PDB file of all heavy atoms in Angstrom:
ATOM      1  N   LYS E   1      -9.735  -9.224  -9.641  1.00 93.00           N
ATOM      2  CA  LYS E   1      -9.702  -8.221  -8.561  1.00 93.00           C
ATOM      3  C   LYS E   1      -8.984  -8.714  -7.365  1.00 93.00           C
ATOM      4  O   LYS E   1      -8.466  -7.939  -6.472  1.00 93.00           O
ATOM      5  CB  LYS E   1     -11.094  -7.637  -8.285  1.00 93.00           C
ATOM      6  CG  LYS E   1     -11.697  -6.903  -9.395  1.00 93.00           C
ATOM      7  CD  LYS E   1     -13.136  -6.616  -9.027  1.00 93.00           C
ATOM      8  CE  LYS E   1     -13.896  -5.824 -10.234  1.00 93.00           C
ATOM      9  NZ  LYS E   1     -15.274  -5.469  -9.936  1.00 93.00           N
ATOM     10  N   ALA E   2      -8.834  -9.995  -7.206  1.00 95.00           N
ATOM     11  CA  ALA E   2      -8.143 -10.563  -6.029  1.00 95.00           C
ATOM     12  C   ALA E   2      -6.772 -10.076  -6.031  1.00 95.00           C
ATOM     13  O   ALA E   2      -6.041  -9.903  -5.006  1.00 95.00           O
ATOM     14  CB  ALA E   2      -8.124 -12.195  -6.214  1.00 95.00           C
ATOM     15  N   LEU E   3      -6.151  -9.839  -7.253  1.00 95.00           N
ATOM     16  CA  LEU E   3      -4.737  -9.399  -7.411  1.00 95.00           C
ATOM     17  C   LEU E   3      -4.622  -7.989  -6.847  1.00 95.00           C
ATOM     18  O   LEU E   3      -3.493  -7.500  -6.739  1.00 95.00           O
ATOM     19  CB  LEU E   3      -4.235  -9.514  -8.821  1.00 95.00           C
ATOM     20  CG  LEU E   3      -4.299 -10.972  -9.434  1.00 95.00           C
ATOM     21  CD1 LEU E   3      -4.048 -10.947 -10.966  1.00 95.00           C
ATOM     22  CD2 LEU E   3      -3.297 -11.790  -8.761  1.00 95.00           C
ATOM     23  N   ASN E   4      -5.649  -7.290  -6.544  1.00 95.00           N
ATOM     24  CA  ASN E   4      -5.592  -5.959  -6.039  1.00 95.00           C
ATOM     25  C   ASN E   4      -5.403  -5.899  -4.521  1.00 95.00           C
ATOM     26  O   ASN E   4      -5.358  -4.831  -3.928  1.00 95.00           O
ATOM     27  CB  ASN E   4      -6.867  -5.127  -6.395  1.00 95.00           C
ATOM     28  CG  ASN E   4      -6.940  -4.892  -7.889  1.00 95.00           C
ATOM     29  OD1 ASN E   4      -5.923  -4.653  -8.515  1.00 95.00           O
ATOM     30  ND2 ASN E   4      -8.081  -4.922  -8.438  1.00 95.00           N
ATOM     31  N   LEU E   5      -5.362  -7.092  -3.878  1.00 97.00           N
ATOM     32  CA  LEU E   5      -5.190  -7.163  -2.386  1.00 97.00           C
ATOM     33  C   LEU E   5      -3.913  -6.226  -2.018  1.00 97.00           C
ATOM     34  O   LEU E   5      -2.872  -6.422  -2.631  1.00 97.00           O
ATOM     35  CB  LEU E   5      -4.970  -8.546  -1.927  1.00 97.00           C
ATOM     36  CG  LEU E   5      -4.735  -8.732  -0.469  1.00 97.00           C
ATOM     37  CD1 LEU E   5      -5.902  -8.363   0.293  1.00 97.00           C
ATOM     38  CD2 LEU E   5      -4.238 -10.191  -0.068  1.00 97.00           C
ATOM     39  N   GLY E   6      -4.084  -5.383  -1.098  1.00 97.00           N
ATOM     40  CA  GLY E   6      -2.948  -4.487  -0.654  1.00 97.00           C
ATOM     41  C   GLY E   6      -2.725  -3.249  -1.449  1.00 97.00           C
ATOM     42  O   GLY E   6      -1.970  -2.423  -1.147  1.00 97.00           O
ATOM     43  N   HIS E   7      -3.441  -3.215  -2.599  1.00 96.00           N
ATOM     44  CA  HIS E   7      -3.132  -2.172  -3.643  1.00 96.00           C
ATOM     45  C   HIS E   7      -3.876  -0.851  -3.395  1.00 96.00           C
ATOM     46  O   HIS E   7      -3.389   0.171  -3.807  1.00 96.00           O
ATOM     47  CB  HIS E   7      -3.243  -2.663  -4.988  1.00 96.00           C
ATOM     48  CG  HIS E   7      -2.015  -3.480  -5.407  1.00 96.00           C
ATOM     49  ND1 HIS E   7      -1.700  -4.677  -4.812  1.00 96.00           N
ATOM     50  CD2 HIS E   7      -1.052  -3.229  -6.387  1.00 96.00           C
ATOM     51  CE1 HIS E   7      -0.654  -5.179  -5.326  1.00 96.00           C
ATOM     52  NE2 HIS E   7      -0.274  -4.398  -6.353  1.00 96.00           N
ATOM     53  N   THR E   8      -5.111  -0.981  -2.879  1.00 95.00           N
ATOM     54  CA  THR E   8      -5.854   0.284  -2.651  1.00 95.00           C
ATOM     55  C   THR E   8      -5.134   1.208  -1.616  1.00 95.00           C
ATOM     56  O   THR E   8      -4.897   2.368  -1.942  1.00 95.00           O
ATOM     57  CB  THR E   8      -7.300  -0.028  -2.138  1.00 95.00           C
ATOM     58  OG1 THR E   8      -7.929  -0.798  -3.140  1.00 95.00           O
ATOM     59  CG2 THR E   8      -8.095   1.286  -1.953  1.00 95.00           C
ATOM     60  N   ALA E   9      -4.808   0.623  -0.472  1.00 97.00           N
ATOM     61  CA  ALA E   9      -4.058   1.446   0.520  1.00 97.00           C
ATOM     62  C   ALA E   9      -2.650   1.508   0.022  1.00 97.00           C
ATOM     63  O   ALA E   9      -2.040   2.608   0.237  1.00 97.00           O
ATOM     64  CB  ALA E   9      -4.083   0.600   1.839  1.00 97.00           C
ATOM     65  N   GLY E  10      -2.087   0.567  -0.613  1.00 97.00           N
ATOM     66  CA  GLY E  10      -0.638   0.580  -1.046  1.00 97.00           C
ATOM     67  C   GLY E  10      -0.429   1.696  -2.076  1.00 97.00           C
ATOM     68  O   GLY E  10       0.598   2.511  -1.964  1.00 97.00           O
ATOM     69  N   HIS E  11      -1.288   1.898  -3.097  1.00 94.00           N
ATOM     70  CA  HIS E  11      -1.124   2.906  -4.021  1.00 94.00           C
ATOM     71  C   HIS E  11      -1.318   4.252  -3.400  1.00 94.00           C
ATOM     72  O   HIS E  11      -0.636   5.178  -3.800  1.00 94.00           O
ATOM     73  CB  HIS E  11      -2.163   2.690  -5.182  1.00 94.00           C
ATOM     74  CG  HIS E  11      -1.750   1.767  -6.237  1.00 94.00           C
ATOM     75  ND1 HIS E  11      -2.684   1.184  -7.132  1.00 94.00           N
ATOM     76  CD2 HIS E  11      -0.546   1.217  -6.602  1.00 94.00           C
ATOM     77  CE1 HIS E  11      -2.019   0.330  -7.903  1.00 94.00           C
ATOM     78  NE2 HIS E  11      -0.714   0.433  -7.612  1.00 94.00           N
ATOM     79  N   ALA E  12      -2.186   4.329  -2.469  1.00 96.00           N
ATOM     80  CA  ALA E  12      -2.331   5.664  -1.754  1.00 96.00           C
ATOM     81  C   ALA E  12      -1.080   6.016  -0.910  1.00 96.00           C
ATOM     82  O   ALA E  12      -0.632   7.206  -1.023  1.00 96.00           O
ATOM     83  CB  ALA E  12      -3.516   5.618  -0.724  1.00 96.00           C
ATOM     84  N   LEU E  13      -0.478   5.145  -0.245  1.00 97.00           N
ATOM     85  CA  LEU E  13       0.781   5.394   0.395  1.00 97.00           C
ATOM     86  C   LEU E  13       1.936   5.718  -0.542  1.00 97.00           C
ATOM     87  O   LEU E  13       2.732   6.561  -0.321  1.00 97.00           O
ATOM     88  CB  LEU E  13       1.256   4.166   1.298  1.00 97.00           C
ATOM     89  CG  LEU E  13       0.269   3.875   2.415  1.00 97.00           C
ATOM     90  CD1 LEU E  13       0.608   2.423   3.062  1.00 97.00           C
ATOM     91  CD2 LEU E  13       0.520   4.909   3.549  1.00 97.00           C
ATOM     92  N   GLU E  14       1.912   5.011  -1.723  1.00 93.00           N
ATOM     93  CA  GLU E  14       2.947   5.217  -2.757  1.00 93.00           C
ATOM     94  C   GLU E  14       2.668   6.589  -3.329  1.00 93.00           C
ATOM     95  O   GLU E  14       3.726   7.451  -3.559  1.00 93.00           O
ATOM     96  CB  GLU E  14       2.737   4.197  -3.730  1.00 93.00           C
ATOM     97  CG  GLU E  14       3.923   4.146  -4.797  1.00 93.00           C
ATOM     98  CD  GLU E  14       3.790   2.930  -5.741  1.00 93.00           C
ATOM     99  OE1 GLU E  14       2.830   2.194  -5.679  1.00 93.00           O
ATOM    100  OE2 GLU E  14       4.738   2.826  -6.584  1.00 93.00           O
ATOM    101  N   SER E  15       1.482   7.147  -3.509  1.00 92.00           N
ATOM    102  CA  SER E  15       1.198   8.364  -4.099  1.00 92.00           C
ATOM    103  C   SER E  15       1.599   9.425  -3.068  1.00 92.00           C
ATOM    104  O   SER E  15       2.155  10.581  -3.435  1.00 92.00           O
ATOM    105  CB  SER E  15      -0.175   8.537  -4.495  1.00 92.00           C
ATOM    106  OG  SER E  15      -0.514   7.629  -5.543  1.00 92.00           O
ATOM    107  N   LEU E  16       1.231   9.198  -1.786  1.00 96.00           N
ATOM    108  CA  LEU E  16       1.716  10.202  -0.734  1.00 96.00           C
ATOM    109  C   LEU E  16       3.213  10.381  -0.675  1.00 96.00           C
ATOM    110  O   LEU E  16       3.717  11.546  -0.519  1.00 96.00           O
ATOM    111  CB  LEU E  16       1.117   9.764   0.562  1.00 96.00           C
ATOM    112  CG  LEU E  16       1.523  10.605   1.789  1.00 96.00           C
ATOM    113  CD1 LEU E  16       0.822  11.960   1.674  1.00 96.00           C
ATOM    114  CD2 LEU E  16       1.152   9.959   3.128  1.00 96.00           C
ATOM    115  N   ALA E  17       3.886   9.196  -0.742  1.00 95.00           N
ATOM    116  CA  ALA E  17       5.393   9.294  -0.737  1.00 95.00           C
ATOM    117  C   ALA E  17       5.964  10.092  -1.846  1.00 95.00           C
ATOM    118  O   ALA E  17       6.810  10.945  -1.737  1.00 95.00           O
ATOM    119  CB  ALA E  17       5.936   7.895  -0.761  1.00 95.00           C
ATOM    120  N   LEU E  18       5.410   9.908  -3.055  1.00 88.00           N
ATOM    121  CA  LEU E  18       5.851  10.675  -4.262  1.00 88.00           C
ATOM    122  C   LEU E  18       5.517  12.131  -4.118  1.00 88.00           C
ATOM    123  O   LEU E  18       6.396  12.993  -4.444  1.00 88.00           O
ATOM    124  CB  LEU E  18       5.126  10.164  -5.486  1.00 88.00           C
ATOM    125  CG  LEU E  18       5.757  10.400  -6.860  1.00 88.00           C
ATOM    126  CD1 LEU E  18       7.080   9.795  -6.934  1.00 88.00           C
ATOM    127  CD2 LEU E  18       4.871   9.735  -7.912  1.00 88.00           C
ATOM    128  N   ALA E  19       4.297  12.456  -3.668  1.00 91.00           N
ATOM    129  CA  ALA E  19       3.892  13.844  -3.380  1.00 91.00           C
ATOM    130  C   ALA E  19       4.821  14.553  -2.411  1.00 91.00           C
ATOM    131  O   ALA E  19       5.110  15.751  -2.469  1.00 91.00           O
ATOM    132  CB  ALA E  19       2.510  13.937  -2.992  1.00 91.00           C
ATOM    133  N   GLN E  20       5.329  13.842  -1.393  1.00 93.00           N
ATOM    134  CA  GLN E  20       6.176  14.361  -0.324  1.00 93.00           C
ATOM    135  C   GLN E  20       7.609  14.461  -0.732  1.00 93.00           C
ATOM    136  O   GLN E  20       8.513  14.821   0.051  1.00 93.00           O
ATOM    137  CB  GLN E  20       5.970  13.613   0.953  1.00 93.00           C
ATOM    138  CG  GLN E  20       4.581  13.729   1.475  1.00 93.00           C
ATOM    139  CD  GLN E  20       4.495  12.919   2.802  1.00 93.00           C
ATOM    140  OE1 GLN E  20       5.218  11.944   3.089  1.00 93.00           O
ATOM    141  NE2 GLN E  20       3.451  13.305   3.687  1.00 93.00           N
ATOM    142  N   GLY E  21       7.976  13.995  -1.863  1.00 91.00           N
ATOM    143  CA  GLY E  21       9.379  13.852  -2.315  1.00 91.00           C
ATOM    144  C   GLY E  21      10.246  12.840  -1.674  1.00 91.00           C
ATOM    145  O   GLY E  21      11.434  12.995  -1.528  1.00 91.00           O
ATOM    146  N   ARG E  22       9.503  11.756  -1.166  1.00 91.00           N
ATOM    147  CA  ARG E  22      10.215  10.706  -0.541  1.00 91.00           C
ATOM    148  C   ARG E  22       9.716   9.318  -1.174  1.00 91.00           C
ATOM    149  O   ARG E  22       9.155   8.528  -0.475  1.00 91.00           O
ATOM    150  CB  ARG E  22      10.026  10.601   0.995  1.00 91.00           C
ATOM    151  CG  ARG E  22       8.617  10.734   1.471  1.00 91.00           C
ATOM    152  CD  ARG E  22       8.458  10.328   2.935  1.00 91.00           C
ATOM    153  NE  ARG E  22       7.154  10.456   3.398  1.00 91.00           N
ATOM    154  CZ  ARG E  22       6.683   9.827   4.593  1.00 91.00           C
ATOM    155  NH1 ARG E  22       7.526   9.067   5.297  1.00 91.00           N
ATOM    156  NH2 ARG E  22       5.481  10.078   4.938  1.00 91.00           N
ATOM    157  N   PRO E  23       9.882   9.174  -2.427  1.00 89.00           N
ATOM    158  CA  PRO E  23       9.344   8.039  -3.151  1.00 89.00           C
ATOM    159  C   PRO E  23       9.811   6.657  -2.595  1.00 89.00           C
ATOM    160  O   PRO E  23      10.983   6.667  -2.111  1.00 89.00           O
ATOM    161  CB  PRO E  23       9.855   8.267  -4.659  1.00 89.00           C
ATOM    162  CG  PRO E  23      11.000   9.180  -4.569  1.00 89.00           C
ATOM    163  CD  PRO E  23      10.780  10.031  -3.341  1.00 89.00           C
ATOM    164  N   VAL E  24       9.025   5.693  -2.634  1.00 93.00           N
ATOM    165  CA  VAL E  24       9.255   4.394  -2.222  1.00 93.00           C
ATOM    166  C   VAL E  24       9.064   3.447  -3.341  1.00 93.00           C
ATOM    167  O   VAL E  24       8.372   3.696  -4.270  1.00 93.00           O
ATOM    168  CB  VAL E  24       8.338   4.029  -0.991  1.00 93.00           C
ATOM    169  CG1 VAL E  24       8.608   4.952   0.179  1.00 93.00           C
ATOM    170  CG2 VAL E  24       6.834   4.025  -1.409  1.00 93.00           C
ATOM    171  N   LEU E  25       9.679   2.281  -3.218  1.00 92.00           N
ATOM    172  CA  LEU E  25       9.535   1.190  -4.205  1.00 92.00           C
ATOM    173  C   LEU E  25       8.235   0.694  -4.098  1.00 92.00           C
ATOM    174  O   LEU E  25       7.579   0.574  -3.025  1.00 92.00           O
ATOM    175  CB  LEU E  25      10.613   0.151  -4.016  1.00 92.00           C
ATOM    176  CG  LEU E  25      12.014   0.450  -4.219  1.00 92.00           C
ATOM    177  CD1 LEU E  25      12.972  -0.605  -3.788  1.00 92.00           C
ATOM    178  CD2 LEU E  25      12.192   0.789  -5.765  1.00 92.00           C
ATOM    179  N   HIS E  26       7.589   0.267  -5.254  1.00 91.00           N
ATOM    180  CA  HIS E  26       6.225  -0.089  -5.312  1.00 91.00           C
ATOM    181  C   HIS E  26       5.902  -1.255  -4.347  1.00 91.00           C
ATOM    182  O   HIS E  26       4.934  -1.325  -3.675  1.00 91.00           O
ATOM    183  CB  HIS E  26       5.849  -0.574  -6.783  1.00 91.00           C
ATOM    184  CG  HIS E  26       4.472  -1.187  -7.004  1.00 91.00           C
ATOM    185  ND1 HIS E  26       3.321  -0.509  -6.795  1.00 91.00           N
ATOM    186  CD2 HIS E  26       4.087  -2.543  -7.114  1.00 91.00           C
ATOM    187  CE1 HIS E  26       2.337  -1.309  -6.898  1.00 91.00           C
ATOM    188  NE2 HIS E  26       2.780  -2.539  -7.190  1.00 91.00           N
ATOM    189  N   GLY E  27       6.744  -2.305  -4.298  1.00 94.00           N
ATOM    190  CA  GLY E  27       6.572  -3.431  -3.410  1.00 94.00           C
ATOM    191  C   GLY E  27       6.542  -3.103  -1.963  1.00 94.00           C
ATOM    192  O   GLY E  27       5.813  -3.736  -1.203  1.00 94.00           O
ATOM    193  N   TYR E  28       7.320  -2.093  -1.624  1.00 97.00           N
ATOM    194  CA  TYR E  28       7.295  -1.681  -0.170  1.00 97.00           C
ATOM    195  C   TYR E  28       5.935  -1.064   0.051  1.00 97.00           C
ATOM    196  O   TYR E  28       5.322  -1.393   1.194  1.00 97.00           O
ATOM    197  CB  TYR E  28       8.351  -0.581   0.058  1.00 97.00           C
ATOM    198  CG  TYR E  28       9.670  -1.126   0.405  1.00 97.00           C
ATOM    199  CD1 TYR E  28      10.441  -1.847  -0.555  1.00 97.00           C
ATOM    200  CD2 TYR E  28      10.288  -0.889   1.643  1.00 97.00           C
ATOM    201  CE1 TYR E  28      11.670  -2.430  -0.328  1.00 97.00           C
ATOM    202  CE2 TYR E  28      11.583  -1.501   1.894  1.00 97.00           C
ATOM    203  CZ  TYR E  28      12.259  -2.193   0.922  1.00 97.00           C
ATOM    204  OH  TYR E  28      13.444  -2.719   1.155  1.00 97.00           O
ATOM    205  N   ALA E  29       5.335  -0.255  -0.776  1.00 97.00           N
ATOM    206  CA  ALA E  29       3.980   0.290  -0.528  1.00 97.00           C
ATOM    207  C   ALA E  29       2.915  -0.842  -0.532  1.00 97.00           C
ATOM    208  O   ALA E  29       2.012  -0.787   0.279  1.00 97.00           O
ATOM    209  CB  ALA E  29       3.668   1.273  -1.708  1.00 97.00           C
ATOM    210  N   VAL E  30       3.130  -1.940  -1.345  1.00 97.00           N
ATOM    211  CA  VAL E  30       2.248  -3.059  -1.390  1.00 97.00           C
ATOM    212  C   VAL E  30       2.273  -3.757  -0.031  1.00 97.00           C
ATOM    213  O   VAL E  30       1.300  -4.184   0.542  1.00 97.00           O
ATOM    214  CB  VAL E  30       2.535  -3.978  -2.570  1.00 97.00           C
ATOM    215  CG1 VAL E  30       1.756  -5.307  -2.387  1.00 97.00           C
ATOM    216  CG2 VAL E  30       2.168  -3.311  -3.879  1.00 97.00           C
ATOM    217  N   ALA E  31       3.534  -3.955   0.470  1.00 98.00           N
ATOM    218  CA  ALA E  31       3.688  -4.693   1.776  1.00 98.00           C
ATOM    219  C   ALA E  31       2.962  -3.884   2.874  1.00 98.00           C
ATOM    220  O   ALA E  31       2.254  -4.487   3.646  1.00 98.00           O
ATOM    221  CB  ALA E  31       5.219  -4.777   2.133  1.00 98.00           C
ATOM    222  N   TRP E  32       3.169  -2.601   2.958  1.00 98.00           N
ATOM    223  CA  TRP E  32       2.415  -1.812   3.926  1.00 98.00           C
ATOM    224  C   TRP E  32       0.984  -1.797   3.710  1.00 98.00           C
ATOM    225  O   TRP E  32       0.116  -1.791   4.553  1.00 98.00           O
ATOM    226  CB  TRP E  32       2.969  -0.295   3.902  1.00 98.00           C
ATOM    227  CG  TRP E  32       4.443  -0.344   4.287  1.00 98.00           C
ATOM    228  CD1 TRP E  32       5.085  -0.994   5.305  1.00 98.00           C
ATOM    229  CD2 TRP E  32       5.394   0.653   3.747  1.00 98.00           C
ATOM    230  NE1 TRP E  32       6.395  -0.698   5.319  1.00 98.00           N
ATOM    231  CE2 TRP E  32       6.635   0.317   4.411  1.00 98.00           C
ATOM    232  CE3 TRP E  32       5.345   1.590   2.808  1.00 98.00           C
ATOM    233  CZ2 TRP E  32       7.825   0.979   4.054  1.00 98.00           C
ATOM    234  CZ3 TRP E  32       6.572   2.259   2.415  1.00 98.00           C
ATOM    235  CH2 TRP E  32       7.789   2.049   3.095  1.00 98.00           C
ATOM    236  N   GLY E  33       0.538  -1.856   2.334  1.00 98.00           N
ATOM    237  CA  GLY E  33      -0.934  -1.886   1.990  1.00 98.00           C
ATOM    238  C   GLY E  33      -1.477  -3.248   2.533  1.00 98.00           C
ATOM    239  O   GLY E  33      -2.675  -3.208   2.797  1.00 98.00           O
ATOM    240  N   LEU E  34      -0.705  -4.296   2.398  1.00 98.00           N
ATOM    241  CA  LEU E  34      -1.184  -5.540   2.878  1.00 98.00           C
ATOM    242  C   LEU E  34      -1.526  -5.549   4.406  1.00 98.00           C
ATOM    243  O   LEU E  34      -2.591  -6.044   4.808  1.00 98.00           O
ATOM    244  CB  LEU E  34      -0.219  -6.712   2.572  1.00 98.00           C
ATOM    245  CG  LEU E  34       0.013  -7.130   1.135  1.00 98.00           C
ATOM    246  CD1 LEU E  34       1.215  -8.030   0.976  1.00 98.00           C
ATOM    247  CD2 LEU E  34      -1.279  -7.792   0.578  1.00 98.00           C
ATOM    248  N   VAL E  35      -0.639  -4.874   5.107  1.00 98.00           N
ATOM    249  CA  VAL E  35      -0.934  -4.775   6.603  1.00 98.00           C
ATOM    250  C   VAL E  35      -2.253  -4.069   6.791  1.00 98.00           C
ATOM    251  O   VAL E  35      -3.041  -4.469   7.488  1.00 98.00           O
ATOM    252  CB  VAL E  35       0.238  -3.985   7.243  1.00 98.00           C
ATOM    253  CG1 VAL E  35      -0.072  -3.526   8.687  1.00 98.00           C
ATOM    254  CG2 VAL E  35       1.541  -4.756   7.273  1.00 98.00           C
ATOM    255  N   CYS E  36      -2.431  -2.971   6.018  1.00 98.00           N
ATOM    256  CA  CYS E  36      -3.603  -2.125   6.127  1.00 98.00           C
ATOM    257  C   CYS E  36      -4.888  -2.978   5.806  1.00 98.00           C
ATOM    258  O   CYS E  36      -5.821  -3.113   6.592  1.00 98.00           O
ATOM    259  CB  CYS E  36      -3.622  -0.940   5.198  1.00 98.00           C
ATOM    260  SG  CYS E  36      -2.419   0.410   5.632  1.00 98.00           S
ATOM    261  N   GLU E  37      -4.872  -3.719   4.741  1.00 98.00           N
ATOM    262  CA  GLU E  37      -5.967  -4.307   4.163  1.00 98.00           C
ATOM    263  C   GLU E  37      -6.214  -5.672   4.926  1.00 98.00           C
ATOM    264  O   GLU E  37      -7.454  -6.172   4.936  1.00 98.00           O
ATOM    265  CB  GLU E  37      -5.949  -4.414   2.628  1.00 98.00           C
ATOM    266  CG  GLU E  37      -6.068  -3.110   2.059  1.00 98.00           C
ATOM    267  CD  GLU E  37      -5.970  -3.019   0.582  1.00 98.00           C
ATOM    268  OE1 GLU E  37      -6.243  -4.027  -0.146  1.00 98.00           O
ATOM    269  OE2 GLU E  37      -5.572  -2.034  -0.033  1.00 98.00           O
ATOM    270  N   LEU E  38      -5.236  -6.298   5.434  1.00 98.00           N
ATOM    271  CA  LEU E  38      -5.446  -7.442   6.292  1.00 98.00           C
ATOM    272  C   LEU E  38      -6.124  -7.043   7.647  1.00 98.00           C
ATOM    273  O   LEU E  38      -7.006  -7.791   8.128  1.00 98.00           O
ATOM    274  CB  LEU E  38      -4.234  -8.190   6.590  1.00 98.00           C
ATOM    275  CG  LEU E  38      -3.627  -8.908   5.343  1.00 98.00           C
ATOM    276  CD1 LEU E  38      -2.309  -9.649   5.822  1.00 98.00           C
ATOM    277  CD2 LEU E  38      -4.565  -9.962   4.735  1.00 98.00           C
ATOM    278  N   TYR E  39      -5.795  -5.829   8.060  1.00 98.00           N
ATOM    279  CA  TYR E  39      -6.525  -5.365   9.322  1.00 98.00           C
ATOM    280  C   TYR E  39      -7.895  -5.101   8.953  1.00 98.00           C
ATOM    281  O   TYR E  39      -8.824  -5.399   9.626  1.00 98.00           O
ATOM    282  CB  TYR E  39      -5.758  -4.119   9.887  1.00 98.00           C
ATOM    283  CG  TYR E  39      -6.574  -3.607  11.094  1.00 98.00           C
ATOM    284  CD1 TYR E  39      -6.459  -4.202  12.234  1.00 98.00           C
ATOM    285  CD2 TYR E  39      -7.338  -2.387  10.969  1.00 98.00           C
ATOM    286  CE1 TYR E  39      -7.166  -3.749  13.447  1.00 98.00           C
ATOM    287  CE2 TYR E  39      -8.065  -2.026  12.033  1.00 98.00           C
ATOM    288  CZ  TYR E  39      -7.894  -2.627  13.288  1.00 98.00           C
ATOM    289  OH  TYR E  39      -8.665  -2.219  14.402  1.00 98.00           O
ATOM    290  N   LEU E  40      -8.139  -4.459   7.775  1.00 98.00           N
ATOM    291  CA  LEU E  40      -9.609  -4.181   7.395  1.00 98.00           C
ATOM    292  C   LEU E  40     -10.370  -5.504   7.193  1.00 98.00           C
ATOM    293  O   LEU E  40     -11.456  -5.582   7.457  1.00 98.00           O
ATOM    294  CB  LEU E  40      -9.557  -3.324   6.104  1.00 98.00           C
ATOM    295  CG  LEU E  40     -10.826  -2.749   5.667  1.00 98.00           C
ATOM    296  CD1 LEU E  40     -11.396  -1.752   6.745  1.00 98.00           C
ATOM    297  CD2 LEU E  40     -10.757  -1.928   4.322  1.00 98.00           C
ATOM    298  N   SER E  41      -9.591  -6.579   6.687  1.00 98.00           N
ATOM    299  CA  SER E  41     -10.162  -7.797   6.613  1.00 98.00           C
ATOM    300  C   SER E  41     -10.600  -8.375   7.973  1.00 98.00           C
ATOM    301  O   SER E  41     -11.633  -9.071   8.030  1.00 98.00           O
ATOM    302  CB  SER E  41      -9.217  -8.780   5.914  1.00 98.00           C
ATOM    303  OG  SER E  41      -8.932  -8.400   4.554  1.00 98.00           O
ATOM    304  N   PHE E  42      -9.690  -8.221   8.876  1.00 98.00           N
ATOM    305  CA  PHE E  42      -9.941  -8.637  10.303  1.00 98.00           C
ATOM    306  C   PHE E  42     -11.226  -7.974  10.758  1.00 98.00           C
ATOM    307  O   PHE E  42     -12.084  -8.571  11.353  1.00 98.00           O
ATOM    308  CB  PHE E  42      -8.774  -8.313  11.197  1.00 98.00           C
ATOM    309  CG  PHE E  42      -9.097  -8.328  12.639  1.00 98.00           C
ATOM    310  CD1 PHE E  42      -9.195  -9.594  13.242  1.00 98.00           C
ATOM    311  CD2 PHE E  42      -9.060  -7.186  13.376  1.00 98.00           C
ATOM    312  CE1 PHE E  42      -9.413  -9.661  14.675  1.00 98.00           C
ATOM    313  CE2 PHE E  42      -9.265  -7.254  14.736  1.00 98.00           C
ATOM    314  CZ  PHE E  42      -9.536  -8.423  15.364  1.00 98.00           C
TER     315      PHE E  42
END
């Protein structure tokens, strides 16, 4: 489950982007997800 770091928030952002018709590359969503979850870690 350590490999899921950044992915709970990242997948949500990725799904939102897809729903809005502005799809993003998976790794971009993961990068933004890392920011979210490192803040939650803080």
Side-chain angles (χ1 to χ4, degrees):
K1 294 177 183 179
L3 297 171
N4 293 322
L5 179 69
H7 282 64
T8 301
H11 278 160
L13 292 167
E14 193 172 3
S15 295
L16 177 66
L18 201 58
Q20 293 179 337
R22 49 167 178 162
V24 297
L25 292 172
H26 173 69
Y28 277 66
V30 169
W32 297 323
L34 287 172
V35 169
C36 291
E37 293 180 24
L38 290 183
Y39 179 74
L40 194 57
S41 296
F42 165 70

